[in-house]
Amino acid sequence: MSKIALVTGASAGFGAAISRRLIAEGYTVVGAARRLDRLQTLQAELGAAFHPLVMDVTDTAAIDQGCGWISQQFAGLDLLVNNAGLALGVAPAQEASLNDWERMIATNVLGLTRLVHAVLPGMVKRNQGHIINIGSTAGSHPYPGGNVYGATKAFVRQLSLNLRADLWGTQVRVSNIEPGLCGGTEFSLVRLGDTERAAAVYEGADPLTADDIADAVAWVATRPARVNINAVELMPVSQSFAGLKIHRATPAA
Ligand SMILES: NC(=O)c1ccc[n+]([C@@H]2O[C@H](COP(=O)([O-])OP(=O)(O)OC[C@H]3O[C@@H](n4cnc5c(N)ncnc54)[C@H](OP(=O)(O)O)[C@@H]3O)[C@@H](O)[C@H]2O)c1
């Protein structure tokens, strides 16, 4: 029997690459997103092992409906890849749009949390399952303009660890994948709203690719049942750390 995975944000970027990779590993994948046409294109590529599901993770009713459909179709969910997410804007906090902040929280925090809440009881009941959250290096390493986006990913990081604490004594696993700069997805276009500015983010950087993230997900998911990978942080070699900044007052003349 093929294992069943739900991958959110499957219509683009990491989610599409993760769906491809999990199917290559023998999973049946329910790929969820808002854009049905994109999911259908992926279904045409991946065949019967890929099931498109239109589900906006900011819509509680859509999550209830989607998860209800999954439990009617399949015996149980073996893997949830909580990948749907976005960053909006790079403005400093004092200039940022409240609407952008609320959309990031609604998607990256509330959407992800609702899905955990929806699937976890079934996994515990069957004493089997794995939740792989897609966090970010932005959840651990602050940067200017990262404000609420980084905070949503810090939430994902801590939620992943706290779930492990509550799941003690069960066989249910939780992991957080924390990528750094990764190109070839729609992430920067969504964030900056401009193709040229988005392309400039990756110029000369040899960033990670969506396949690198899919590789990490597949590795984490295929460890022996006794092994829980708590977190995987990955960056391109070109990305590293900067020191703390000090703003110095200009000496009075
Ligand atoms: N790229 C990076 O550098 C990077 C680094 C670290 C972490 N991440 C994280 O990795 C995840 C995937 O990023 P990506 O680079 O693959 O971005 P992407 O190419 O923009 O893909 C984002 C996916 O999320 C889906 N999505 C967005 N809002 C949604 C909603 N309300 N309901 C359902 N699906 C929604 C989109 O599908 P629809 O528009 O069709 O709904 C799309 O499939 C995100 O959580 C992101 O924060 C990305």
Side-chain angles (χ1 to χ4, degrees), residues 8-16 32-39 55-59 82-87 103 106-108 134-138 149 152-153 177-190 202 208 210 213:
T8 67
S11 62
F14 296 180
R34 294 166 301 182
R35 288 172 293 176
L36 178 61
D37 56 329
R38 295 295 206 89
L39 294 174
M55 184 172 75
D56 181 341
V57 301
T58 66
D59 178 347
N82 246 331
N83 163 74
L86 78 174
R103 277 184 62 202
T107 311
N108 304 358
I134 305 296
S136 170
T137 49
Y149 176 66
T152 66
K153 294 302 187 179
I177 309 277
E178 303 166 10
L181 187 75
C182 184
T185 79
E186 297 176 357
F187 180 81
S188 288
L189 182 60
V190 171
Y202 309 103
L208 297 174
I213 311 310

Side-chain angles (χ1 to χ4, degrees), residues 1-153:
M1 274 275 285
S2 166
K3 287 189 170 180
I4 312 298
L6 167 60
V7 178
T8 67
S11 62
F14 296 180
I18 292 165
S19 300
R20 280 188 194 100
R21 180 60 188 269
L22 289 176
I23 286 174
E25 298 283 341
Y27 281 80
T28 294
V29 171
V30 177
R34 294 166 301 182
R35 288 172 293 176
L36 178 61
D37 56 329
R38 295 295 206 89
L39 294 174
Q40 283 171 335
T41 304
L42 199 55
Q43 185 186 30
E45 175 194 329
L46 295 174
F50 184 82
H51 300 260
L53 174 67
V54 175
M55 184 172 75
D56 181 341
V57 301
T58 66
D59 178 347
T60 316
I63 290 183
D64 289 347
Q65 217 175 5
C67 291
W69 179 80
I70 291 170
S71 43
Q72 276 168 12
Q73 299 294 315
F74 307 103
L77 204 58
D78 298 289
L79 174 63
L80 164 65
V81 184
N82 246 331
N83 163 74
L86 78 174
L88 294 168
V90 284
Q94 61 274 23
E95 290 163 23
S97 146
L98 182 59
N99 187 48
D100 284 353
W101 280 6
E102 288 180 352
R103 277 184 62 202
M104 287 188 277
I105 293 167
T107 311
N108 304 358
V109 174
L110 277 174
L112 177 140
T113 305
R114 285 186 186 120
L115 274 157
V116 167
H117 192 262
V119 309
L120 204 52
M123 287 183 173
V124 170
K125 198 168 167 195
R126 294 189 305 126
N127 201 24
Q128 181 196 323
H130 196 160
I131 295 176
I132 300 181
N133 292 323
I134 305 296
S136 170
T137 49
S140 314
H141 308 291
Y143 60 87
N147 44 70
V148 167
Y149 176 66
T152 66
K153 294 302 187 179

